[in-house]
Amino acid sequence: MIDHTGIPISDPDKAKTFYDAAMGAIGAKVLMTVPKEFTGGKWVAGYGRTKPDFWLTESDAIGPGRHYAFTAASRAEVDAFYTAALAAGGRDNGAPGIRAHYHPDYYGAFVFDPDGNNVEAVCHRPE
């Protein structure tokens, strides 16, 4: 149902370092940046696997409370996402593991990005 979404970020360099690592672990990367003459001088970039699905926009209106979950193809990708995100400045919000209260095969990992957003990678497949 959702074609694409995005979040405001405060520091493009920190955000890019974090999301390049975390998204790279699940097969996504920056696919597009919007020239600043079209964004009011703000840094804007779209991440995805085949098209830009997840956008970062430089802004003063940041804050915690947002949650974004990204599909991983395997449990190993969830593990790689978590490790890469922590190494790139993320903070732990739930190590990789089964979340049976969602369903028996829900394998996810949660980290806070540099702006406090709760970012997750999840695999719904059995091992």
Side-chain angles (χ1 to χ4, degrees):
M1 241 168 50
I2 297 171
D3 181 73
H4 62 276
T5 190
I7 60 170
I9 52 95
S10 63
D11 184 324
D13 293 329
K14 282 184 181 176
K16 187 168 183 339
T17 297
F18 174 83
Y19 283 101
D20 282 356
M23 297 301 215
I26 59 172
K29 62 182 178 182
V30 171
L31 295 179
M32 182 179 183
T33 55
V34 180
K36 288 186 176 183
E37 60 263 26
F38 298 106
T39 66
K42 302 293 186 179
W43 182 81
V44 176
Y47 285 79
R49 293 182 182 112
T50 60
K51 70 176 187 63
D53 299 310
F54 183 68
W55 290 86
L56 303 179
T57 301
E58 183 181 3
S59 175
D60 295 327
I62 57 114
R66 294 174 179 97
H67 173 67
Y68 296 90
F70 298 98
T71 304
S74 66
R75 292 179 181 190
E77 274 194 5
V78 172
D79 296 343
F81 164 88
Y82 179 78
T83 299
L86 292 181
R91 292 179 295 118
D92 172 60
N93 190 31
I98 293 290
R99 289 353 190 238
H101 52 284
Y102 296 129
H103 67 74
D105 294 317
Y106 193 109
Y107 188 87
F110 302 81
V111 296
F112 290 117
D113 78 0
D115 288 308
N117 295 296
N118 181 17
V119 184
E120 172 187 3
V122 59
C123 178
H124 295 281
R125 298 178 180 167
E127 180 126 34

